[in-house]
Amino acid sequence: MSLEDHAEELASDLGVDKAEVKRDLENLVNYSVPMDEAKQSLRRKYGDGSSGGGGDGTPSSKAISEVSTDDSNVTVTAVVRTSGRRSIQYNGEEHVIREGELADESGTISYTAWDGFDADLEPGQTVQFGNAGVREWDGKPELNLGQSTQATVVDETLDIDVAVGGESRLADLEPGDRGITVEVQILECEEKVIDGRNGETTILSGVIGDDSGRLPFTDWEPHDGIEPGASVRIEETFVREFRGAPSVNVSEFSTVTPLSESVAVTEDAPRLSIREAVESGGQFDVELVGNVIQIRDGSGLIERCPECSRVVQNGQCRSHGAVEGEDDLRTKAILDDGTATVTAILGADLTAEIYGGDLDDAREHARDAMDKEVVADRIAERVVGREYVVRGSLSVDEYGANLNASEFDEADDDPADRAAALIEEVEA
């Protein structure tokens, strides 16, 4: 059935103008709302007496905690906690949407304001949103504000337990946060050229930090002031997930202001048990402690593709086929702390430290033995069974948990002292 037929059927059922129904239906479908859900939403709007609205067909007034993905349209009165803008592309055209978070006494909910929603939303306003659509986003309900949503600023004070304005420390950020303000120091920054949606695009990427932690960032429209060592206030950012951890995104709508004083950056990474770290889904900068119980295949003297740096096996790269591999050093060590395991991946420099020689030494060792495996065997002899403190970036996917190590140091505390402290804690 075509959209025209759906609109005609709805208009007939509801007794309303077909052109108006068709316009509303197109608007919902254009923003990827499934047809059945879009039709149900319009039945709520025009009041056919089905579930989710009042007896007169108007959307139910609900507290934020009561809004569920089973709702089609609701009326909510809430404080605008954050408000940010983002550019998206749909059907080859640029659209600017506004998005953020709302709060009332019962909780918070994210929102997206699409084309046709004309109200300006400013943090701190208390607004009644009438006929707001509801969709599921990342497993949670989200309000969709569109042409049929009525927004009215009301003179009402709500007792909310979250800060207004989106100012946040890096450790508190989560993927999906929008309209966020951070004050950070630029720790690493490099310029990259990528294939963007409008062709080759220059971006900045790197690492930012504050007194709570460190996170990766991407500046999609390079701003003056974002350079290594600079301390800046960045307003109207949004947070995405990158390898399981939050990543701060700076857009054309973001404001970057230099700070007169340097932002202090913690030197430490949070120390977690391996289970805690893995269950978090990923950590950009974390410290784990455990025993190396095995060195995995693919460790020691390996070969990499000169084009993409993937590991070459039997002269074959998964992306580039037959290639002349380039020698490199790597260690894949399984770390176990009694709660879970993770594979710690050590690059050439850290591998050289535990192996006790550089790449040339490893080549000579392998030639003398006529076997590359002797390099991995020596690494295993030196680390298996020992306890290490490992710092790095943790990613968790369908292939398991991997920690790309930046530091790999043998633990120097006494296990007996740790056991005594644990017993004392349990008995306290």
Side-chain angles (χ1 to χ4, degrees), residues 109-144:
I109 191 169
S110 62
Y111 71 86
T112 300
W114 305 96
D115 290 350
F117 181 80
D118 298 326
D120 289 328
L121 301 179
E122 298 295 334
Q125 291 178 326
T126 301
V127 182
Q128 182 184 75
F129 298 92
N131 200 39
V134 182
R135 71 166 179 169
E136 181 176 333
W137 180 254
D138 198 24
K140 301 177 182 178
E142 177 181 271
L143 294 187
N144 266 356

Side-chain angles (χ1 to χ4, degrees), residues 295 354 374-386 388:
I295 296 300
I354 59 175
V374 296
V375 177
D377 290 342
R378 176 182 291 180
I379 292 171
E381 290 171 2
R382 295 186 172 185
V383 300
V384 171
R386 298 178 181 272
Y388 287 86

Side-chain angles (χ1 to χ4, degrees), residues 63 92 95 127 133 142 185 227 230 232 240 281 303 313 336 371:
H95 298 266
V127 182
E142 177 181 271
Q185 184 181 146
E227 56 187 25
V232 293
R240 286 178 173 166
E303 291 185 352
Q313 294 183 335
D336 188 331
D371 183 3

